[in-house]
Amino acid sequence: SKSIRSVELMRDRMVCAMSRKHPAARQRLTMERFLALRHIRVVQDAGDLRFVDEGLHALGLKRKVMATIPHWLIALHTVAGSRLVVAASERLTRSFGANGELTARTLPVGGDHFCWRLYWHRRHDDSPSQRWMRALVSDVCARMDRAAP
């Protein structure tokens, strides 16, 4: 839409996040192993198939979804203390798992890079508070990008 503006904040990719104590944490994650795991699916809309499910659907495969929840933070907290796994942002997994509870494995499907973007309506282009917030978020993400391994 011409009325919606956006700016790229940073690049990321999806990974399979799990507890460091999970048996799969010590192995390479093959498609067969990935499909055998018990998953949390993170979606805000029931029809959202981005990332993993879209790729699996194209291959005629399905994963074992044990729970569907609306946000990655809840999912990462849940997998840290369980034998479940979740496809989540690598940056978020690293940040949330900095205490050593989480590890990440490369996904066998759906782990392509994507961009985090900031969106706003053009009527807010000149709003001082909106410009301040956009600049703040952009600056924080730029620092995160520079600090990324």
Side-chain angles (χ1 to χ4, degrees):
S1 165
K2 291 181 181 180
S3 61
I4 303 298
R5 308 252 199 248
S6 73
V7 64
E8 182 177 319
L9 295 172
M10 59 188 167
R11 294 180 54 75
D12 203 346
R13 72 180 181 130
M14 297 299 281
V15 295
C16 183
M18 64 188 76
S19 165
R20 281 204 182 280
K21 297 174 184 174
H22 195 292
R26 294 179 292 280
Q27 305 171 333
R28 189 175 147 269
L29 194 56
T30 63
M31 181 66 83
E32 184 179 356
R33 287 181 182 139
F34 180 72
L35 294 175
L37 296 172
R38 297 177 338 159
H39 297 256
I40 293 176
R41 182 172 176 243
V42 179
V43 294
Q44 288 79 38
D45 177 89
D48 185 358
L49 297 177
R50 289 176 298 164
F51 308 116
V52 173
D53 294 305
E54 187 175 59
L56 290 174
H57 181 74
L59 297 171
L61 301 171
K62 286 182 119 178
R63 58 186 170 148
K64 295 178 189 173
V65 176
M66 308 309 290
T68 299
I69 56 179
H71 202 278
W72 286 317
L73 293 177
I74 298 165
L76 289 170
H77 181 73
T78 303
V79 301
S82 73
R83 292 288 187 241
L84 300 172
V85 301
V86 65
S89 152
E90 182 174 36
R91 288 175 180 275
L92 190 60
T93 300
R94 258 197 223 128
S95 178
F96 189 86
N99 63 2
E101 290 182 353
L102 293 177
T103 190
R105 293 290 170 264
T106 299
L107 286 166
V109 64
D112 297 335
H113 283 88
F114 66 93
C115 293
W116 288 103
R117 300 189 69 82
L118 178 62
Y119 294 90
W120 68 95
H121 194 279
R122 69 182 175 136
R123 73 174 163 260
H124 299 295
D125 280 348
D126 297 323
S127 164
S129 61
Q130 290 278 327
R131 282 196 326 258
W132 172 81
M133 181 57 79
R134 289 192 302 268
L136 179 65
V137 171
S138 294
D139 182 57
V140 167
C141 290
R143 282 186 275 140
M144 288 173 63
D145 224 16
R146 288 191 298 272

